[in-house]
CSV table of all heavy atoms in Angstrom, one decimal:
chain,number,residue,atom,x,y,z
A,39,LYS,N,-6.9,2.2,-2.2
A,39,LYS,CA,-6.5,3.6,-2.5
A,39,LYS,C,-6.8,4.5,-1.3
A,39,LYS,O,-7.9,4.5,-0.8
A,39,LYS,CB,-7.3,4.1,-3.7
A,39,LYS,CG,-6.8,5.3,-4.3
A,39,LYS,CD,-7.5,5.7,-5.6
A,39,LYS,CE,-6.9,6.9,-6.2
A,39,LYS,NZ,-7.6,7.3,-7.5
A,40,MET,N,-5.7,5.3,-1.0
A,40,MET,CA,-5.9,6.3,0.1
A,40,MET,C,-6.3,7.6,-0.5
A,40,MET,O,-6.2,7.8,-1.7
A,40,MET,CB,-4.5,6.5,0.7
A,40,MET,CG,-4.0,5.2,1.4
A,40,MET,SD,-2.5,5.5,2.3
A,40,MET,CE,-3.1,6.6,3.5
A,41,PRO,N,-6.8,8.5,0.3
A,41,PRO,CA,-7.2,9.8,-0.2
A,41,PRO,C,-6.0,10.5,-0.9
A,41,PRO,O,-4.9,10.3,-0.4
A,41,PRO,CB,-7.6,10.6,1.1
A,41,PRO,CG,-8.0,9.5,2.1
A,41,PRO,CD,-7.1,8.4,1.8
A,42,GLU,N,-6.3,11.2,-2.0
A,42,GLU,CA,-5.2,11.7,-2.8
A,42,GLU,C,-4.4,12.8,-2.1
A,42,GLU,O,-3.2,13.1,-2.4
A,42,GLU,CB,-5.7,12.2,-4.1
A,42,GLU,CG,-6.2,11.1,-5.0
A,42,GLU,CD,-6.7,11.6,-6.4
A,42,GLU,OE1,-6.3,12.7,-6.8
A,42,GLU,OE2,-7.4,10.8,-7.0
A,43,ASP,N,-5.0,13.4,-1.0
A,43,ASP,CA,-4.3,14.5,-0.4
A,43,ASP,C,-3.5,14.0,0.9
A,43,ASP,O,-2.8,14.8,1.6
A,43,ASP,CB,-5.2,15.6,0.0
A,43,ASP,CG,-6.3,15.2,1.0
A,43,ASP,OD1,-6.5,14.0,1.1
A,43,ASP,OD2,-6.9,16.1,1.6
A,44,ALA,N,-3.6,12.7,1.2
A,44,ALA,CA,-2.9,12.1,2.4
A,44,ALA,C,-1.4,11.9,2.0
A,44,ALA,O,-1.1,11.5,1.0
A,44,ALA,CB,-3.6,10.8,2.7
A,45,TYR,N,-0.6,12.3,3.0
A,45,TYR,CA,0.9,12.0,2.8
A,45,TYR,C,1.1,10.5,2.9
A,45,TYR,O,0.6,9.8,3.7
A,45,TYR,CB,1.7,12.8,3.9
A,45,TYR,CG,3.2,12.6,3.6
A,45,TYR,CD1,3.8,13.4,2.7
A,45,TYR,CD2,3.9,11.7,4.3
A,45,TYR,CE1,5.2,13.3,2.4
A,45,TYR,CE2,5.3,11.5,4.1
A,45,TYR,CZ,5.9,12.3,3.1
A,45,TYR,OH,7.2,12.2,2.9
A,46,PHE,N,1.9,10.0,1.9
A,46,PHE,CA,2.2,8.6,1.8
A,46,PHE,C,3.7,8.4,1.5
A,46,PHE,O,4.1,8.5,0.4
A,46,PHE,CB,1.3,7.9,0.8
A,46,PHE,CG,1.5,6.4,0.7
A,46,PHE,CD1,0.7,5.7,1.6
A,46,PHE,CD2,2.3,5.8,-0.2
A,46,PHE,CE1,0.8,4.3,1.6
A,46,PHE,CE2,2.4,4.4,-0.2
A,46,PHE,CZ,1.7,3.7,0.7
A,47,GLY,N,4.5,8.3,2.6
A,47,GLY,CA,6.0,8.2,2.4
A,47,GLY,C,6.3,6.7,2.2
A,47,GLY,O,5.5,5.9,1.7
A,48,TYR,N,7.5,6.3,2.6
A,48,TYR,CA,7.9,5.0,2.5
A,48,TYR,C,6.9,4.0,3.2
A,48,TYR,O,6.3,4.4,4.2
A,48,TYR,CB,9.3,4.8,3.2
A,48,TYR,CG,10.4,5.4,2.4
A,48,TYR,CD1,11.0,6.6,2.8
A,48,TYR,CD2,10.9,4.9,1.2
A,48,TYR,CE1,12.0,7.3,2.1
A,48,TYR,CE2,11.9,5.5,0.5
A,48,TYR,CZ,12.4,6.7,0.9
A,48,TYR,OH,13.4,7.3,0.2
A,49,SER,N,6.8,2.8,2.6
A,49,SER,CA,5.7,1.9,3.2
A,49,SER,C,6.3,0.5,3.3
A,49,SER,O,7.3,0.2,2.6
A,49,SER,CB,4.5,2.0,2.3
A,49,SER,OG,4.8,1.5,1.0
A,50,ALA,N,5.6,-0.3,4.1
A,50,ALA,CA,5.9,-1.7,4.2
A,50,ALA,C,4.6,-2.5,4.4
A,50,ALA,O,3.7,-2.0,5.1
A,50,ALA,CB,6.8,-2.0,5.4
Side-chain angles (χ1 to χ4, degrees):
K39 189 173 181 182
M40 298 185 63
E42 291 183 20
D43 61 344
Y45 184 80
F46 187 84
Y48 290 104
S49 63

